[in-house]
Amino acid sequence: MGDGTSETKSSNQMWGGRFAQGPAAIMEEINASIGFDKKLFAQDIRGSIAHATMLAHQGIISAEDKDKIVHGLDTILSEIESGQFEFSRRLEDIHMNVEARLATLIGPAAGRLHTARSRNDQVALDFRLWVKEELQKCEQMLTDLIAAFLDRAEEHAETVMPGFTHLQTAQPVTFGHHCMAYVEMFGRDRSRVRHAIEHMDESPIGAAALAGTGFPIDRHMTAKALGFREPTRNSIDTVSDRDFALEFLAIASICAVHLSRLAEEIVIWSTPQFGFVRLSDAFSTGSSIMPQKKNPDAAELVRAKTGRINGSLIALLTVMKGLPLAYSKDMQEDKEQVFDSAESLELAIAAMTGMVRDLDVRADRMKAAAGSGYSTATDLADWLVREAGLPFRDAHHVTGRAVALAEQKACELAELSLEDLQAIHADITDKVFDVLTVEASVASRTSFGGTAPSEVRKQIAWWRGRN
Ligand code: ARG
């Protein structure tokens, strides 16, 4: 399209009337967004087709001009999709690149497309459409990740592992229960995504520069044509608002934090010291020097992506914080943050879904670890409350002494003799040994949301009904 160097000298063809000269080279460089907003081409063209169709329907432009515009826009769409379109930095952004090409293709009718419209509502529309589609994609990807966890949870509803607090052995839990914790986390992410789609489901087009327009446009018609619930209600807010982008980044940040915590657990679990899981070859790498190594690179990169995504949220919040109403060019800095985060988030969710599906769970290692570290001490204390009628605080004290003794003898609680235990509290009987196994411990925790396999299966069924 562009005609080389002469372009930079002449004034802009969109607003040239007011200007005697073209921009300084550095002005063009700082001003142009085409390098990244070309990603919005499909949304831009869809928006323009809906706008032109509405203009004709309202008698603002002729049906003939509308047909030319729509036909020209369709041509441009296929030119861009097939890589034939030449983007020009002099034309600043996607909106002006498309409009200038339209003028070349169809002549003066192209000039009627921008009636009752500004790039301010146009960019708000294009970007909103893009973010909405991205959120819909994330919703589906989170559903796939949740499904992967539900399958693993079902398979491992009875697999015991140590539960941790402070990364110290706390109480035995099941691996299925642990998987379901992630289902809850990603389930919340998914409902945040759904709410954000609801929030943003309003069409900006027709707000024009900021004040609306005197042309008899029908914003309900364009809203409907573009798949929005309704038009936005305040034209000033419409061109000033980037909440939808901020919400996307906030949701992406929280989700990335969840993915990162999972990544961290996978890194820890796959060490030889823990050995709870083995990574599949598909999601790990070797070392160029140490032949024995299998590194959790994918998990580590998922953990690292969180930095970029959280950074993007802070960047855009900072861009927006001092802006007076309505549009300011600062807002052009919204897109790269969102594009980069979307790409990172999609990669991270997809990699995690694959890793979770492929994870080789070593139930034997988990079980051995579940029984160590006095993980059933609480069960002993609970037994003293239930069977010997002790107040919990006293039972806690008695159990503490039993743990100290076991530590001294370098054995597990269940390996202490009945005499040892009775020396600490006379009411202890041999029945106590029934509650000191990890299986008994998890099976006993049947409170709503607890770790008992029966309870975990109920939670799985609840989620299956909601996918
Ligand atoms: N490229 C611009 C952006 O991304 C489009 C809107 C420009 N509007 C304006 N009045 N200069 O924000």
Side-chain angles (χ1 to χ4, degrees), residues 33 37 93 95 119-120 123 327 329 332 335:
S33 54
D37 68 15
D93 56 25
H95 324 297
R119 276 189 299 154
N120 297 351
V123 71
Y327 178 85
K329 194 63 173 257
Q332 181 165 286
K335 291 169 205 67

Side-chain angles (χ1 to χ4, degrees), residues 64-80:
E64 204 189 344
D65 283 345
K66 185 261 293 181
D67 289 342
K68 280 191 199 155
I69 290 170
V70 171
H71 185 256
L73 288 169
D74 282 338
T75 306
I76 295 171
L77 183 64
S78 40
E79 284 177 354
I80 299 178

